[in-house]
Amino acid sequence: MPNNNLSSAETLDITDGKAKAPFEGLGMIRVFAPATVANVVCGFDVLGFAVNEPGDEVEMRLTDTPGVIIKRITGDDGKLPLDAAKNTVSASVQHYLQHINRLDVGVEIELHKKMPIGSGLGSSSASTVAGLFAINKLMGDLLTAKELVPFAMKGEELACGYGHADNVAPAIMGGFVLVRSYEPLDVISLPTPAGMFAAIVYPQVDVPTKDARQMIRSKVFLKDAVTQWGNVAGLVSGLFMNDFDLIGRSMKDVLVEPTRSILIPGFEEMRNLAMENGAIGFGISGSGPSVFALTKDEETAKKITKAQQQHLHKLNINSKAFVSSVNAEGPRVM
Amino acid sequence: MPNNNLSSAETLDITDGKAKAPFEGLGMIRVFAPATVANVVCGFDVLGFAVNEPGDEVEMRLTDTPGVIIKRITGDDGKLPLDAAKNTVSASVQHYLQHINRLDVGVEIELHKKMPIGSGLGSSSASTVAGLFAINKLMGDLLTAKELVPFAMKGEELACGYGHADNVAPAIMGGFVLVRSYEPLDVISLPTPAGMFAAIVYPQVDVPTKDARQMIRSKVFLKDAVTQWGNVAGLVSGLFMNDFDLIGRSMKDVLVEPTRSILIPGFEEMRNLAMENGAIGFGISGSGPSVFALTKDEETAKKITKAQQQHLHKLNINSKAFVSSVNAEGPRVM
């Protein structure tokens, strides 16, 4: 998407220590980046999609002091580091500036967390992507969405010790995204079926991504792997064919879900409630504990989250619910 | 495809022991069914496609003596059983007749093998599918192509001890086919990119399917499985997007090829020759020893097979080559 206000980085002139026209008044931007559902049940580490709600917001200002600083974080209950080297947003913005050879630029960041941390909804990814989208916009869209993915992966590495792309790629590119390969990185935009909604429920229990990964066995039966990639291929086909039934039949995970679902209270009952209420398919979002269902419309999604939250309430577990259309565009300037 | 000559099985009247009008003269049919390339490199046990050459031919006659018999087999060097219970063609035709409750029908089969046996090109599958297509046609197209798949799988079980569908499904349905699931059976027709050719070379060494399967490890690293299903998803996406480059990038097999390729003389050099001469991708056809390359045109395919055959000749290995467009229609009446 070309930036109509800043035609290129060359229009930036901060050599005298002050941002100048034509971007006077444009040296500030506020960006929303979406939460994401990684894996999409069968596509462990290779598939993900973005939603329109929840998501994080980043406010970014260019300043006359070279360097990237985190000025303020809201909504994180003090959980996230203000130290610019440790915060995924500032660290990836810094990495971006280094790449475009603009370490002379000064950046002030305010991060507004609007979604739960550690929920399995790509929380760190949403923040990082909002920051990268913002700095790229301020620098005149020097890089394409796809080109931003590796910078966001660096942020993921900092956040969870593992530079995966199945959250950041859909957060940046919108819609359903396939990470075909990590070495070299090869991300493919898949079609987003019109009218598709996600029903997300976050049971407020703690499942750190690192632990969730460590539970998974490093070796699997080839037979089960074949079942899994049959489903991955079916899901991808279903997206291209706009075939909700095929998408649903393919949303099965014989490898990771059986282990990870143990950490999620009421998982099987939430699945039953999703399917009984008309879900296309149901499963764990990323490494959990959030769960999600895909639906054909908003009303079905609302029915599902309501029933699941009532069930969690009976188990004395607090929860948050999000009903959202699938985000097809990625981040947006607010 | 509806049969315009026989509107339904009800038009058959052989109760007096003799086939009658309206199918007098229609009680004989000759059918071609295509060779197939299973796996398509990354899609072990779930992907396959059909070619227009080679393939097998079945001549079938309805008779007044109930039961299915193999009258003659040509081109098999005496390798295939004439015993109707052991031959995959007759056995699956028998199974079909039982299913449609027409054990009163008499069938005489001539099988003309026009392709090498044990070559990894779906030889048994081509014969079985030709037989099933023929009997279904003679009975008035009672079943759809998809519905014939399970009957052909029974034939595969007889031929190689394992009822797989990645040869029979593309042989029956034509084009690229995904076997999303075996239980329940779920086969999906994928798009066939226009203008795509296959360059197939069969090095005449013996690699029985059973042995080739037994060499494969039953457990694999999850990490490798993820790489594999990223590629499976990429290949399927490439077919839908008509993106030959993506198809090529995805034609990588980190799990099965490293083991199976050991049995194929000159494998790595044949890969080099394929890629140097402009192949989209290259790999083992089914369980081998045949190899195949996908190309954008016929000329490239011919260049590849020529170079590969010359290489095999230097290794003192006889070979056969087939250059064919991808078969999009499945079997045909000759």
Side-chain angles (χ1 to χ4, degrees), chain A residues 86-268:
Chain A
K86 289 180 184 162
N87 187 292
T88 64
V89 185
S90 41
S92 54
V93 167
Q94 178 73 22
H95 191 61
Y96 171 94
L97 289 173
Q98 196 164 356
H99 175 79
I100 64 164
N101 206 19
R102 289 301 303 267
L103 289 177
D104 57 314
V105 174
V107 178
E108 249 181 37
I109 295 167
E110 287 192 24
L111 169 59
H112 304 289
K113 291 298 297 177
K114 304 267 180 172
M115 58 181 291
I117 295 168
S119 55
L121 294 170
S123 165
S124 64
S125 159
S127 303
T128 305
V129 165
L132 281 168
F133 189 85
I135 189 66
N136 191 47
K137 201 55 53 201
L138 289 173
M139 293 293 108
D141 279 322
L142 288 178
L143 300 188
T144 65
K146 236 185 214 189
E147 287 166 348
L148 289 177
V149 175
F151 297 92
M153 285 172 70
K154 286 274 176 189
E156 290 295 84
E157 213 175 319
L158 198 62
C160 56
Y162 173 69
H164 62 109
D166 49 353
N167 284 113
V168 291
I172 294 175
M173 296 161 70
F176 282 82
V177 173
L178 163 67
V179 186
R180 184 197 62 83
S181 154
Y182 279 85
E183 287 170 24
L185 187 66
D186 189 8
V187 290
I188 318 286
S189 270
L190 304 176
T192 302
M196 189 179 265
F197 272 76
I200 295 170
V201 167
Y202 165 45
Q204 290 178 272
V205 293
D206 201 25
V207 179
T209 304
K210 275 189 197 171
D211 293 2
R213 286 200 80 83
Q214 279 159 8
M215 282 186 67
I216 302 169
R217 290 192 194 89
S218 67
K219 277 202 157 187
V220 299
F221 283 108
L222 176 61
K223 191 179 136 289
D224 293 335
V226 169
T227 301
Q228 196 89 355
W229 66 60
N231 283 324
V232 173
L235 178 50
V236 169
S237 300
L239 291 172
F240 277 98
M241 295 160 83
N242 206 25
D243 183 336
F244 283 15
D245 193 61
L246 174 55
I247 292 169
R249 295 201 302 279
S250 306
M251 285 173 67
K252 280 171 195 152
D253 174 1
V254 298
L255 291 178
V256 179
E257 184 182 283
T259 307
R260 279 195 173 161
S261 60
I262 297 166
L263 297 176
I264 300 168
F267 182 79
E268 283 307 325

Side-chain angles (χ1 to χ4, degrees), chain B residues 58-59 67-74 80-91 93 107-111:
Chain B
V58 156
E59 218 176 302
V68 182
I69 60 161
I70 301 278
K71 204 178 154 198
R72 194 161 72 111
I73 304 178
T74 66
L80 300 178
L82 282 159
D83 179 344
K86 289 180 183 161
N87 186 291
T88 64
V89 185
S90 40
V93 167
V107 177
E108 249 181 38
I109 294 168
E110 287 192 23
L111 170 60

Side-chain angles (χ1 to χ4, degrees), chain B residues 40-262:
Chain B
V40 202
V41 185
C42 53
F44 180 70
D45 275 2
V46 308
L47 290 177
F49 70 88
V51 291
N52 280 310
E53 204 203 326
D56 282 345
E57 291 169 23
V58 156
E59 218 176 302
M60 191 177 282
R61 266 181 204 82
L62 297 182
T63 69
D64 51 11
T65 313
V68 182
I69 60 161
I70 301 278
K71 204 178 154 198
R72 194 161 72 111
I73 304 178
T74 66
D76 71 328
D77 295 328
K79 285 182 191 163
L80 300 178
L82 282 159
D83 179 344
K86 289 180 183 161
N87 186 291
T88 64
V89 185
S90 40
S92 54
V93 167
Q94 178 74 22
H95 190 61
Y96 170 94
L97 290 173
Q98 197 164 357
H99 175 80
I100 64 163
N101 206 19
R102 291 300 303 269
L103 290 177
D104 55 316
V105 174
V107 177
E108 249 181 38
I109 294 168
E110 287 192 23
L111 170 60
H112 305 289
K113 291 299 296 178
K114 304 267 180 174
M115 57 180 293
I117 295 168
S119 56
L121 294 170
S123 166
S124 63
S125 159
S127 303
T128 306
V129 165
L132 282 168
F133 189 85
I135 189 66
N136 192 46
K137 200 61 43 205
L138 289 172
M139 292 293 108
D141 279 322
L142 289 178
L143 300 188
T144 65
K146 235 184 214 190
E147 286 166 347
L148 290 176
V149 176
F151 297 93
M153 286 172 70
K154 286 274 176 190
E156 290 294 84
E157 212 175 319
L158 198 62
C160 57
Y162 173 70
H164 61 111
D166 49 353
N167 285 114
V168 292
I172 294 174
M173 295 160 70
F176 282 81
V177 173
L178 163 68
V179 186
R180 185 197 62 83
S181 154
Y182 279 85
E183 286 169 23
L185 186 66
D186 189 8
V187 290
I188 318 286
S189 270
L190 303 176
T192 302
M196 189 179 266
F197 272 76
I200 295 170
V201 167
Y202 164 45
Q204 291 177 271
V205 294
D206 201 26
V207 179
T209 304
K210 275 187 197 172
D211 294 0
R213 285 199 81 82
Q214 278 159 8
M215 282 185 67
I216 301 168
R217 291 193 193 87
S218 67
K219 277 202 157 187
V220 299
F221 283 107
L222 176 60
K223 191 180 135 288
D224 293 335
V226 170
T227 301
Q228 195 89 356
W229 65 61
N231 283 323
V232 173
L235 178 50
V236 169
S237 300
L239 291 171
F240 276 98
M241 294 160 82
N242 206 26
D243 182 336
F244 283 17
D245 193 63
L246 174 55
I247 291 169
R249 296 201 301 278
S250 305
M251 284 172 69
K252 282 172 195 152
D253 174 0
V254 298
L255 291 178
V256 179
E257 185 182 283
T259 307
R260 279 194 173 161
S261 61
I262 297 166

Side-chain angles (χ1 to χ4, degrees), chain B residues 226-309:
Chain B
V226 170
T227 301
Q228 195 89 356
W229 65 61
N231 283 323
V232 173
L235 178 50
V236 169
S237 300
L239 291 171
F240 276 98
M241 294 160 82
N242 206 26
D243 182 336
F244 283 17
D245 193 63
L246 174 55
I247 291 169
R249 296 201 301 278
S250 305
M251 284 172 69
K252 282 172 195 152
D253 174 0
V254 298
L255 291 178
V256 179
E257 185 182 283
T259 307
R260 279 194 173 161
S261 61
I262 297 166
L263 297 176
I264 301 168
F267 182 78
E268 283 307 326
E269 183 58 21
M270 286 197 282
R271 179 204 300 284
N272 294 341
L273 290 167
M275 300 318 291
E276 279 164 17
N277 281 288
I280 297 167
F282 168 86
I284 305 170
S285 175
S287 53
S290 289
V291 294
F292 79 104
L294 290 178
T295 69
K296 286 170 197 168
D297 55 62
E298 188 170 12
E299 207 183 330
T300 306
K302 283 182 174 166
K303 266 201 296 187
I304 290 169
T305 56
K306 193 180 165 192
Q308 290 173 333
Q309 283 199 287

